[in-house]
Amino acid sequence: MHKLGISVYPEHSTPEKDHEYMKLAARYGFSRIFTCLLSVNKPKEEIIAEFSDFVKKAHDLGFVVAADTNPHVFKHLGATARDLSVFAHMGLDIIRLDGNFGELEDRLITRNPQGIKIEFNASSDVSIDHLIRHGADHAFLRGSVTSRPERYTGLSRQVFDRFNRKWKGLGLHTAAFISSNNKDTYGPWPVYNGLCTMEADRGLPIDLQVRHLLATEAIDDILIGNAYATEEELKAMSQVDMTKTTVVLDPVDGLCDTEWKVLKEYHHAGRTDASEFMIRSSMPRLDCREASIPWRDCGQKTFHRGDVVVVNDNLGHYRGEVEVILKDIPNDGERNLAGRIPEEEFVILDRMEENPDHFWDFLIR
């Protein structure tokens, strides 16, 4: 089951503001919090006291809390790969390792008696499969892909896919970050251009960022990397259907009842024998044998990428088939233009093209 999460950075705010933000997110069903110990420059005793209070408040609201750490943080707090008791005292559920301790310690840390889950950096080439083969506890291993505050440094789609194929192929729980588009947000460092995993997501509406990560089919938990998101953004995320890929469709005027039905009442899936020109959702045509879909002039001679068409009466055997155009094809009168996928939604369409036989639904607006 997918979980939604927020990020909270106590060293840059106040306990009162953080608590109000956590309460707001909890009301919208968020259940994970990410925080960072890398950027905290305080004495050990102050860190333990402040974060213990912060984590307790988060737990009281039903959140699971993960904190970013590295060997320097371990040394400062008196922890080692063999002794995580200080993190247990703070109440942390997950510690993320931004940096490794060496093969032996990386295996041992997953077998800590406190039961703290260990989240490795899934944006690195750490030999996680090797660690598992040699004794790391699979049940306590997780992966989270890094977030990037600097514009143009987020992961490319290809790099994201390469790393996450490995982690999901091992059956490991994964997390990734998206960005709030609210003004004056921040992360652990003084950079203010959002805090997302993939550069393609930076600046997109936040619900589209969520739907994009869902469409990759590689991420379990989706976390807002910067603070604070607006209530409107939290609400928009909470309303995303987390069970499937969804893509926005702007319908054209004049659709007949049968066209509306095939667009709205089916969980679409393309054919495995995919064409380079379109994704074909063929199942609706089985219910259209006795129906009629008259030809309708849409005023364009060519269908373009992102156009969604429905086969009409002029090709009766395929009547009702829903097709998402990938490459230009001529309008030969056998298909009606039903609507268009907006260009910003092409990040979803790209994923649909990669996995044409996977399920998707239209979000008709």
Side-chain angles (χ1 to χ4, degrees):
M1 178 182 293
H2 298 283
K3 292 182 179 179
L4 296 176
I6 57 174
S7 296
V8 179
Y9 305 103
E11 73 275 19
H12 298 314
S13 185
T14 66
E16 294 76 20
K17 288 182 180 179
D18 288 341
H19 196 218
E20 288 303 311
Y21 185 48
M22 291 189 290
K23 288 194 292 184
L24 180 63
R27 287 205 297 272
Y28 285 103
F30 285 63
S31 57
R32 274 201 63 172
I33 287 178
F34 174 81
T35 191
C36 183
L37 290 168
L38 308 183
S39 53
V40 183
N41 185 22
K42 292 183 178 181
K44 168 184 173 180
E45 292 73 18
E46 286 186 35
I47 294 174
I48 294 172
E50 290 179 10
F51 275 79
S52 296
D53 182 62
F54 159 66
V55 173
K56 182 181 184 306
K57 290 177 179 176
H59 284 168
D60 289 344
L61 291 168
F63 287 101
V64 170
V65 183
D68 210 7
T69 69
N70 63 12
H72 174 75
V73 170
F74 270 60
K75 182 178 180 180
H76 182 59
L77 295 180
T80 69
R82 300 166 188 254
D83 181 8
L84 305 185
S85 56
V86 65
F87 299 119
H89 177 75
M90 294 162 67
L92 292 170
D93 305 288
I94 304 166
I95 56 173
R96 183 181 186 273
L97 300 182
D98 188 39
N100 298 57
F101 292 93
E103 181 186 326
L104 175 61
E105 286 76 11
D106 282 352
R107 284 185 281 147
L108 286 172
I109 200 171
T110 68
R111 295 187 172 275
N112 65 89
Q114 293 84 11
I116 298 174
K117 291 183 171 61
I118 308 301
E119 203 164 65
F120 283 83
N121 183 351
S123 306
S124 69
D125 278 321
V126 59
S127 298
I128 200 69
D129 48 348
H130 176 83
L131 295 180
I132 293 171
R133 285 197 306 271
H134 293 276
D137 191 336
H138 187 283
F140 286 88
L141 271 170
R142 305 164 73 97
S144 70
V145 197
T146 190
S147 57
R148 296 289 171 81
E150 185 182 359
R151 197 178 298 277
Y152 308 119
T153 65
L155 300 187
S156 70
R157 198 175 94 189
Q158 293 77 13
V159 170
F160 175 92
D161 290 347
R162 175 165 60 86
F163 284 133
N164 282 287
R165 275 195 298 268
K166 176 175 75 174
W167 290 80
K168 291 307 291 183
L170 293 168
L172 295 172
H173 196 92
T174 57
F177 293 87
I178 60 173
S179 283
S180 164
N181 293 311
N182 195 14
K183 292 182 179 179
D184 301 319
T185 60
Y186 57 86
W189 314 111
V191 185
Y192 306 99
N193 292 316
L195 203 53
C196 52
T197 290
M198 276 191 286
E199 191 60 37
D201 286 336
R202 200 182 304 271
L204 293 180
I206 203 163
D207 66 303
L208 176 52
Q209 295 180 60
V210 173
R211 292 187 289 110
H212 182 207
L213 285 183
L214 291 173
T216 69
E217 300 186 1
I219 297 298
D220 295 303
D221 298 344
I222 299 172
L223 316 175
I224 306 172
N226 49 347
Y228 300 115
T230 66
E231 181 171 1
E232 291 75 16
E233 288 178 317
L234 299 177
K235 181 179 180 181
M237 289 176 64
S238 73
Q239 292 175 336
V240 172
D241 186 339
M242 307 289 281
T243 67
K244 62 175 76 71
T245 294
T246 51
V247 64
V248 165
L249 175 67
D250 291 328
V252 300
D253 295 330
L255 297 178
C256 70
D257 289 345
T258 304
E259 288 172 299
W260 277 117
K261 178 178 180 179
V262 298
L263 292 174
K264 295 172 68 175
E265 297 184 11
Y266 287 84
H267 298 301
H268 294 281
R271 298 170 62 108
T272 54
D273 53 347
S275 161
E276 66 180 299
F277 292 95
M278 65 182 69
I279 302 170
R280 300 173 59 193
S281 176
S282 295
M283 292 302 293
R285 79 187 205 214
L286 299 178
D287 294 330
C288 293
R289 291 168 178 161
E290 306 301 323
S292 177
I293 302 176
W295 172 78
R296 186 180 63 256
D297 185 6
C298 69
Q300 64 184 63
K301 295 182 179 181
T302 304
F303 294 126
H304 306 289
R305 184 176 181 84
D307 287 346
V308 176
V309 300
V310 177
V311 177
N312 61 40
D313 291 342
N314 292 336
L315 194 62
H317 181 72
Y318 295 95
R319 181 192 301 114
E321 180 168 282
V322 176
E323 299 169 349
V324 181
I325 304 302
L326 301 174
K327 295 176 68 173
D328 282 6
I329 63 170
N331 179 359
D332 56 11
E334 296 175 343
R335 298 169 176 86
N336 290 349
L337 179 66
R340 296 180 179 87
I341 295 172
E343 190 169 348
E344 69 177 9
E345 295 273 329
F346 281 11
V347 292
I348 307 290
L349 180 56
D350 292 343
R351 298 293 177 174
M352 293 165 57
E353 184 177 8
E354 292 170 0
N355 300 295
D357 59 329
H358 291 203
F359 285 103
W360 83 90
D361 277 12
F362 290 120
L363 294 177
I364 297 176
R365 63 183 186 183

